[in-house]
Amino acid sequence: MSHQYSCTEHTPVLAEELYIDAPSLSIDYLKKAYHMANEGGSRSEAGLASHRLGNIYEAVGDPEVATMYHKGYLDRCKRDKDKVGMGKAYEALARCQQKRGKS
């Protein structure tokens, strides 16, 4: 198992556990995971981190920032032809639109 794999494998669990008590710390960790995945060339990991960031920003009541991250995830899914991921991204974007009062 490579070091890169072991670090990214545990990031979502850690971020979700931290979100309960410290949402800003969770966001910080996910942003680091997002940037490291981009620097390391892992499109799929960067896409997942982007999606998770969007979900957390939704949860803390910032649908504008959430939309930015969900659109990034959607773009990555389109490039990878990941239809399941595209569905998740579209669903997340629809939630953000509802929270912003737009239909």
Side-chain angles (χ1 to χ4, degrees):
M1 178 181 334
S2 73
H3 179 66
Q4 178 185 6
Y5 178 77
S6 64
C7 288
T8 57
E9 177 182 330
H10 298 291
T11 301
V13 174
L14 179 63
E16 289 166 10
E17 289 173 358
L18 285 171
Y19 176 71
I20 295 167
D21 296 321
S24 62
L25 185 57
S26 182
I27 289 170
D28 289 344
Y29 280 129
L30 280 173
K31 282 183 177 178
K32 287 177 185 176
Y34 175 78
H35 291 297
M36 291 184 78
N38 276 325
E39 288 174 8
S42 178
R43 287 190 322 207
S44 61
E45 287 297 323
L48 288 174
S50 184
H51 183 59
R52 290 180 184 118
L53 277 164
N55 289 339
I56 289 177
Y57 276 106
E58 274 185 74
V60 298
D62 195 340
E64 288 80 19
V65 174
T67 296
M68 177 188 72
Y69 282 108
H70 288 315
K71 283 182 178 179
Y73 179 56
L74 177 61
D75 291 343
R76 289 175 190 277
C77 290
K78 284 180 177 179
R79 276 194 303 256
D80 293 342
K81 296 180 174 65
D82 175 1
K83 291 185 180 190
V84 172
M86 286 190 296
K88 290 178 183 179
Y90 282 125
E91 183 179 324
L93 288 166
R95 284 192 314 265
C96 289
Q97 288 295 96
Q98 285 180 325
K99 289 177 181 178
R100 292 166 65 190
K102 299 178 182 178
S103 47

